[in-house]
Amino acid sequence: MARESFDKEIQFLRMLVLTSGAYNRQQYADKLGISVHTFDKTIKRLKEIVNAVYQKAPAASGKEFAETIRYSYLDSSDPMLLFLFRAKSLKESESQRLSLLLAALHGEAMTVSELLDLCCSGMPAELSLPDEKTIRGDLKYLEQVGVIKRATAARPYRYRINNDLVRELSHDELQDLYDFVDIMANTQLPSVQGYLLRDGLKKHIVREKEDIGRTDSFLYKYHYYSRLLDEAHLFTLLSAIRSRSWVSFLYFSPKKETSYASKNTNPLFEKDTDGLNETMLPLKVIYDHQYGRWYLLGHHPRSGIKKYRLEGLTQVAEGTAAEETLFEAKSSELEQRIKHSWLIDTGRTVAVKVRFFHPGHGIPSFVKERVLLQGQWGTITEESEESFIYDIEVNGTIEIKPWIRSFGSSCEVLAPLKLREEMIAEWKEIRNYYESI
């Protein structure tokens, strides 16, 4: 995974994908809270990443930057977050060093001193030479992420590439593993690490000169690129929840005009931002599959239980550990608050009653099957040949409304009266859009 933050690039890519290039340079810069000059530098940086990722492709099949970010309904082979993770995620000297280390370890197991000598002789003249401490740090990082492993138990340790799994599998077994990882990465949460594993398997199959024609066996629909972009912060937050640690971040509400601000390192150029500097104890991360959004729920020292959209988080940093008793108490409080939440709503509990209609005589009731699958803790209380009654208690009606609306004419809200009136008004508004011109 990348070792540095990509807050600016993530917000930049989200805007490009969601707006399909509708803004000019100045408007993009204003939205991001940066100068046009910084905007141009970001474009240049992203183009360099594209060139690095596809530098081995034939000229005829090489990708341009615009083609790389273009939305494709079925293409999920190159998710936008991996676009950042797969290249230029390290400083140039680090990138050169790690490439030399991995290339050397592919051949044989080597010690730290042997790898140091190799790096010193192989580094380009314009880059500074590493010392033993730097090489040990690189090896520790590569060992932590599972790329290499120790080949000997006694000192001096010898390291080698950790590719035992793929070396022991036949081509058919590799293809089956690739298909499984591909399906799980595209259908389960979280996805980023699955995509990285899938890409690694694909490269191994290509290196073995096997038939690559049947590697991509599946196509997928309904992908949210923003979901993958937001996963950049997910593992930091999950780590903080496991260690009961406080986190700090600069938050930009989705309602704000800007979505990013550079980190102020020089006090002479320090400026006010529209973001909020927040410190809170993270308790739970929730994913909304209907809109492809991640939410962070946690305890705020002044405001109690607070909710944030992950897309608004920048400069996320893990802090000190909290008391276990505090974490347990706030977790219990949160569970009680969202006990009846369709998603994350903590409002007043409301009893909702909906009549769903079967599709017709002799037709399997896909409506009922969907309600049973997606209806959470709600229950079917009455049923006839034409319809059935579904009851559920939820914290407010805002979050359940899109789900009810998605059934169209196959359902009717019976209670509460306010929700029924809201649904009637919305359907009348939709009907007016289709009035004769």
Side-chain angles (χ1 to χ4, degrees):
M1 301 289 281
R3 297 173 69 181
E4 65 179 53
S5 172
F6 286 107
D7 289 335
K8 177 175 57 181
E9 288 80 3
I10 286 172
Q11 298 297 340
F12 184 87
L13 288 174
R14 177 183 286 109
M15 289 172 59
L16 283 179
V17 172
L18 297 182
T19 63
S20 300
Y23 297 143
N24 60 33
R25 292 163 61 242
Q26 185 63 59
Q27 289 170 324
Y28 273 123
D30 291 342
K31 281 282 186 180
L32 284 167
I34 60 178
S35 66
V36 175
H37 174 67
T38 304
F39 171 87
D40 292 337
K41 284 172 58 179
T42 306
I43 283 280
K44 181 180 178 182
R45 173 172 162 79
L46 294 174
K47 286 182 177 178
E48 289 174 350
I49 295 176
V50 172
N51 293 334
V53 171
Y54 296 103
Q55 61 184 348
K56 294 183 180 179
S61 61
K63 290 195 175 186
E64 293 293 331
F65 176 65
E67 182 185 349
T68 303
I69 65 166
R70 184 176 294 122
Y71 174 77
S72 173
Y73 187 56
L74 290 173
D75 181 20
S76 62
S77 62
D78 211 4
M80 300 303 291
L81 181 56
L82 299 193
F83 174 62
L84 293 174
F85 276 135
R86 286 173 56 183
K88 301 299 183 183
S89 57
L90 310 173
K91 295 177 181 177
E92 186 176 2
S93 58
E94 289 176 324
S95 180
Q96 290 282 352
R97 248 187 359 258
L98 295 185
S99 297
L100 287 171
L101 291 173
L102 293 176
L105 294 176
H106 261 293
E108 59 178 317
M110 301 179 70
T111 64
V112 174
S113 59
E114 291 171 338
L115 291 168
L116 177 61
D117 292 340
L118 183 142
C119 280
C120 289
S121 61
M123 289 287 282
E126 66 273 12
L127 298 178
S128 59
L129 298 179
D131 55 18
E132 184 177 332
K133 181 179 179 181
T134 302
I135 296 298
R136 289 188 182 278
D138 290 338
L139 292 173
K140 181 180 179 181
Y141 165 68
L142 292 172
E143 190 176 14
Q144 285 176 341
V145 297
V147 176
I148 65 173
K149 63 185 299 184
R150 293 179 185 178
T152 57
R155 295 178 181 272
Y157 298 126
R158 303 185 78 86
Y159 296 88
R160 68 174 179 84
I161 291 292
N162 185 14
N163 60 349
D164 297 347
L165 177 64
V166 293
R167 285 194 307 171
E168 296 171 2
L169 297 179
S170 67
H171 173 63
D172 288 340
E173 289 171 331
L174 274 175
Q175 183 66 52
D176 289 343
L177 177 60
Y178 177 89
D179 289 342
F180 173 77
V181 172
D182 182 50
I183 291 172
M184 299 302 288
N186 279 282
T187 59
Q188 303 297 309
L189 298 170
S191 301
V192 170
Q193 291 180 326
Y195 280 120
L196 291 169
L197 176 58
R198 185 199 66 171
D199 287 357
L201 289 170
K202 187 171 184 176
K203 290 175 181 177
H204 178 77
I205 295 173
V206 173
R207 279 197 300 268
E208 294 298 313
K209 296 183 172 58
E210 298 285 2
D211 177 20
I212 196 62
R214 59 181 289 264
T215 302
D216 295 313
S217 305
F218 305 97
L219 295 173
Y220 302 90
K221 298 181 181 180
Y222 312 123
H223 271 255
Y224 294 101
Y225 285 127
S226 56
R227 164 174 71 86
L228 296 169
L229 290 170
D230 293 338
E231 282 190 27
H233 299 310
L234 180 61
F235 297 99
T236 301
L237 296 173
L238 293 179
S239 172
I241 292 173
R242 283 194 297 269
S243 61
R244 312 320 198 214
S245 299
W246 294 83
V247 295
S248 60
F249 50 85
L250 184 63
Y251 183 68
F252 292 86
S253 168
K255 299 178 182 178
K256 293 282 187 180
E257 285 296 317
T258 55
S259 59
Y260 170 80
S262 59
K263 191 178 288 188
N264 295 316
T265 56
N266 188 332
L268 295 178
F269 296 95
E270 189 169 352
K271 60 181 180 180
D272 293 332
T273 69
D274 290 329
L276 297 174
N277 284 298
E278 298 280 47
T279 300
M280 54 95 74
L281 182 63
L283 302 173
K284 186 183 285 287
V285 179
I286 293 179
Y287 177 67
D288 177 8
H289 72 90
Q290 191 146 12
Y291 292 109
R293 294 171 181 162
W294 291 96
Y295 291 90
L296 170 63
L297 285 69
H299 165 68
H300 192 277
R302 295 187 305 275
S303 308
I305 299 298
K306 287 197 72 172
K307 296 164 277 190
Y308 303 89
R309 291 243 295 262
L310 256 62
E311 67 187 76
L313 270 60
T314 63
Q315 302 178 26
V316 180
E318 192 171 340
T320 58
E323 294 288 339
E324 182 68 26
T325 53
L326 173 65
F327 183 88
E328 293 298 333
K330 297 306 176 183
S331 293
S332 298
E333 179 186 348
L334 175 63
E335 292 300 329
Q336 286 298 316
R337 293 277 297 277
I338 64 173
K339 182 179 180 181
H340 295 289
S341 297
W342 185 258
L343 185 66
I344 60 169
D345 201 338
T346 54
R348 183 174 58 87
T349 304
V350 178
V352 175
K353 184 185 291 288
V354 183
R355 183 190 303 278
F356 288 94
F357 298 96
H358 295 300
H361 180 70
I363 303 175
S365 185
F366 57 85
V367 174
K368 183 179 178 181
E369 289 177 3
R370 185 180 164 200
V371 170
L372 290 173
L373 178 66
Q374 302 175 350
Q376 303 202 48
W377 58 91
T379 57
I380 295 175
T381 54
E382 301 175 31
E383 186 171 10
S384 66
E385 291 186 4
E386 293 79 24
S387 64
F388 60 90
I389 304 295
Y390 167 81
D391 286 279
I392 188 172
E393 288 190 350
V394 289
N395 291 347
T397 59
I398 293 176
E399 293 178 343
I400 196 175
K401 190 190 292 185
W403 182 73
I404 296 174
R405 191 191 301 121
S406 68
F407 284 90
S409 60
S410 295
C411 72
E412 174 193 5
V413 175
L414 303 178
L417 180 60
K418 181 180 179 183
L419 176 60
R420 179 181 174 88
E421 291 173 345
E422 289 175 356
M423 298 296 289
I424 291 172
E426 288 182 8
W427 286 116
K428 284 183 177 180
E429 182 180 354
I430 293 173
R431 185 187 64 183
N432 290 337
Y433 293 152
Y434 294 91
E435 291 285 339
S436 299
I437 299 176

